[in-house]
Amino acid sequence: MQRNIRLILEYDGTDFKGWQVQPDQRTVQGELEACLHRLFGTPIRTIAAGRTDTGVHALGQVANFITVNPLNVEHIQNALNSMLPADSAVRHAHEVPLRFHARRDARRREYVYRIEYGRRAIGRQYALCIRSRLDLEAMQDAAARLLGHHDFTSFCVAASERENLECHLFESTWQQSEDGVHFRIAANRFLRTMVRSIVGTLIQVGRGGRSADDVTKILEARDRRCAGPSAPPHGLFLKRVTYEDLPGG
Amino acid sequence: MQRNIRLILEYDGTDFKGWQVQPDQRTVQGELEACLHRLFGTPIRTIAAGRTDTGVHALGQVANFITVNPLNVEHIQNALNSMLPADSAVRHAHEVPLRFHARRDARRREYVYRIEYGRRAIGRQYALCIRSRLDLEAMQDAAARLLGHHDFTSFCVAASERENLECHLFESTWQQSEDGVHFRIAANRFLRTMVRSIVGTLIQVGRGGRSADDVTKILEARDRRCAGPSAPPHGLFLKRVTYEDLPGG
């Protein structure tokens, strides 16, 4: 009998070429599918909620796969954790209805971008370290301009012409953290490099190089040459994905 | 004119053979003194508050050195941060009275040991990950037995016979954290591997293998064969060192 298994995955993106399987590259999907193949003795294809780019981390990536193996989910989780490399881990494993599809059924994806002030040694892999403080109020004003339903062409790198570039932003908020600031962004979907393009642009606002009104104009221009540079990947985390019927990770 | 410069240092102990200079080993003191030599054009000897072991991290190590160079402290900090490897950083630099000695004058040293539950990928370099939950109440009871002035022979590895093994513990507390537990310990001084021996023993208590009364007996035995194994170094952080006249890091 076919079963559908949903995994919640954590990974340190530092040494991965992103999520998606690529020939001769170390990817999270590649490592996971190699372990599943060993565990079940047959090739298994996984589907993930979001294809994170090279260097991007995940605290709550969601993936699912179909198997006919009756092994219970706790054993699947423990077996995978004993086989996976140290920079990836299965946080939870659940059996879900056969119709569940980790990418198609995701309703809300939440990312966090971490910025720390000053030179750091501890956790430098997990935050963008910048020397001077940012104008949080200006960044917060600019971030709020992105809320709601918009065409995000200006914040998307390398989209195809015909692609639907509309997204609905549920959250776009900066918060003071212990030693810096964190950006929390949630949407129904994200385009390629969208979060990092937004963060890069909002950092320009925080440094006084652009205004919140500029961000509104960039959005309306629908021209990717208008946005700021992409912020580096190592500050970015896929935090949580939520589904209509299922609790988030 | 001679000046005494005090540095507050952060480092990721993962790839260091501890603080202290050793021939043909990568140590924090070795890297720092090489940078100071380059910066000032003359060999500089540094003194640290605590000689952290291989793999132990620091958020607030304190070190000082004497120089006749008039370079202001902000420039010293920026120059060192541009030269030091990414896994070490100068968080602050101050000029202090010539009599200040980072090791001799330290009044209170504070360490934190981090334990996380389950298999983790993010931050696995900065916590001991263990699968099953610990009995926090029992560990807390046992930890409190160590407070005050005692001979810590039982928790000291490789001490010489004549050494003074008395320490005064100001704090010895377990706290629930988001995904695990943290142990905070502060004393006037610590012996070699003392924190890790204490943590290893308290973990045995948390797993039900020993009681809080056993910890009292271990302390009174003054015999290092009585304590539990040392907990691994990667969960341990030198958090802060405080001085009578100067604020902590």
Side-chain angles (χ1 to χ4, degrees):
Chain A
M1 202 181 68
Q2 284 202 325
R3 301 161 70 212
N4 192 359
I5 309 297
R6 185 178 81 134
L7 305 176
I8 297 180
L9 297 162
E10 179 174 303
Y11 47 86
D12 179 331
T14 310
D15 296 325
F16 285 112
K17 288 280 179 190
W19 165 264
Q20 197 165 15
V21 163
Q22 294 176 63
D24 304 322
Q25 299 285 4
R26 184 175 188 266
T27 69
V28 184
Q29 187 181 22
E31 294 289 333
L32 177 63
E33 293 185 356
C35 293
L36 287 167
H37 192 158
R38 271 178 62 199
L39 180 60
F40 295 124
T42 173
I44 302 257
R45 179 43 48 124
T46 56
I47 297 155
R51 296 182 198 128
T52 53
D53 286 335
T54 298
V56 173
H57 313 293
L59 287 161
Q61 170 74 285
V62 178
N64 76 295
F65 64 89
I66 304 291
T67 178
V68 292
N69 193 298
L71 200 62
N72 83 42
V73 287
E74 197 177 298
H75 284 151
I76 293 174
Q77 177 174 352
N78 291 340
L80 289 175
N81 278 335
S82 71
M83 290 190 284
L84 283 167
D87 52 356
S88 56
V90 177
R91 299 290 290 161
H92 300 279
H94 300 280
E95 189 164 348
V96 289
L98 271 180
R99 67 175 187 281
F100 174 82
H101 188 284
R103 186 172 66 253
R104 222 169 35 216
D105 295 345
R107 292 287 167 267
R108 186 180 196 273
R109 292 157 167 97
E110 184 181 325
Y111 283 86
V112 171
Y113 197 96
R114 302 176 70 240
I115 294 175
E116 299 216 345
Y117 294 135
R119 172 89 136 61
R120 300 306 303 255
I122 302 288
R124 67 196 181 284
Q125 314 88 331
Y126 304 128
L128 173 64
C129 294
I130 63 178
R131 193 186 282 192
S132 48
R133 291 184 175 260
L134 301 168
D135 182 340
L136 193 64
E137 204 175 329
M139 289 164 86
Q140 185 54 45
D141 181 8
R145 309 293 181 103
L146 304 172
L147 285 169
H149 200 87
H150 302 283
D151 180 320
F152 280 88
T153 302
S154 296
F155 295 100
C156 174
V157 170
S160 67
E161 290 293 319
R162 298 181 311 169
E163 207 179 319
N164 166 19
L165 301 174
E166 294 187 4
C167 308
H168 191 96
L169 254 65
F170 305 120
E171 192 174 357
S172 175
T173 318
W174 288 91
Q175 287 176 317
Q176 198 83 46
S177 68
E178 201 182 340
D179 291 311
V181 288
H182 291 177
F183 180 53
R184 188 184 293 269
I185 186 167
N188 63 331
R189 65 197 284 262
F190 285 98
L191 311 173
R192 189 93 198 279
T193 75
M194 178 171 149
V195 181
R196 289 164 53 204
S197 297
I198 289 173
V199 171
T201 306
L202 295 178
I203 288 173
Q204 292 183 322
V205 173
R207 284 179 167 149
R210 298 211 202 214
S211 68
D213 285 343
D214 288 339
V215 172
T216 302
K217 284 177 198 146
I218 293 166
L219 192 63
E220 286 168 354
R222 299 182 191 190
D223 178 347
R224 67 197 61 140
R225 290 166 303 181
C226 297
S230 292
H234 67 280
L236 185 58
F237 293 76
L238 172 54
K239 180 89 185 287
R240 192 182 286 116
V241 185
T242 43
Y243 297 86
E244 215 147 277
D245 301 338
L246 294 159
Chain B
M1 203 180 69
Q2 283 200 326
R3 302 162 69 212
N4 193 358
I5 309 296
R6 184 178 81 132
L7 305 176
I8 296 179
L9 298 161
E10 179 175 304
Y11 47 85
D12 179 331
T14 310
D15 296 325
F16 285 112
K17 287 279 179 192
W19 165 264
Q20 196 165 14
V21 163
Q22 293 177 63
D24 304 321
Q25 299 284 5
R26 184 175 187 266
T27 69
V28 184
Q29 186 181 23
E31 295 288 333
L32 176 63
E33 292 185 355
C35 293
L36 287 167
H37 193 158
R38 272 177 63 198
L39 179 61
F40 294 125
T42 174
I44 302 256
R45 180 42 49 124
T46 57
I47 297 155
R51 297 181 197 127
T52 52
D53 285 335
T54 298
V56 174
H57 312 293
L59 286 161
Q61 170 74 287
V62 177
N64 76 294
F65 64 90
I66 304 290
T67 179
V68 292
N69 192 298
L71 199 63
N72 82 43
V73 287
E74 196 178 298
H75 284 153
I76 293 174
Q77 177 174 352
N78 291 339
L80 288 175
N81 278 335
S82 71
M83 290 189 286
L84 282 167
D87 52 355
S88 56
V90 177
R91 299 288 291 160
H92 299 279
H94 300 279
E95 190 163 346
V96 288
L98 271 181
R99 66 174 186 282
F100 174 82
H101 188 284
R103 186 173 66 253
R104 223 169 34 217
D105 296 345
R107 291 288 167 265
R108 185 179 197 273
R109 292 157 167 96
E110 183 182 326
Y111 283 85
V112 171
Y113 197 95
R114 302 175 70 240
I115 295 175
E116 299 216 345
Y117 294 134
R119 172 88 137 60
R120 300 307 302 254
I122 302 288
R124 68 196 180 284
Q125 314 89 331
Y126 305 127
L128 173 63
C129 294
I130 62 178
R131 193 186 282 193
S132 48
R133 292 185 174 259
L134 301 168
D135 181 341
L136 193 64
E137 205 175 329
M139 289 163 86
Q140 186 54 45
D141 181 7
R145 309 290 181 105
L146 303 172
L147 286 169
H149 201 88
H150 303 282
D151 180 319
F152 280 89
T153 302
S154 296
F155 295 101
C156 174
V157 170
S160 67
E161 289 294 319
R162 299 181 311 170
E163 207 179 319
N164 167 20
L165 301 174
E166 294 187 5
C167 308
H168 191 95
L169 255 65
F170 305 120
E171 191 174 358
S172 175
T173 319
W174 287 94
Q175 287 176 320
Q176 197 83 46
S177 67
E178 201 182 340
D179 290 311
V181 289
H182 292 177
F183 180 54
R184 188 185 293 269
I185 185 167
N188 64 329
R189 64 196 285 261
F190 286 96
L191 311 173
R192 189 93 198 279
T193 75
M194 179 172 148
V195 181
R196 289 164 51 204
S197 297
I198 289 174
V199 171
T201 306
L202 296 178
I203 288 172
Q204 292 182 323
V205 173
R207 285 179 167 150
R210 297 210 201 216
S211 68
D213 285 343
D214 288 339
V215 172
T216 301
K217 284 176 200 148
I218 293 166
L219 191 63
E220 286 167 355
R222 298 182 193 191
D223 178 348
R224 66 197 63 139
R225 291 166 302 180
C226 298
S230 292
H234 67 280
L236 185 58
F237 293 76
L238 173 53
K239 179 91 185 285
R240 193 182 284 116
V241 185
T242 44
Y243 296 86
E244 214 146 277
D245 302 338
L246 294 159

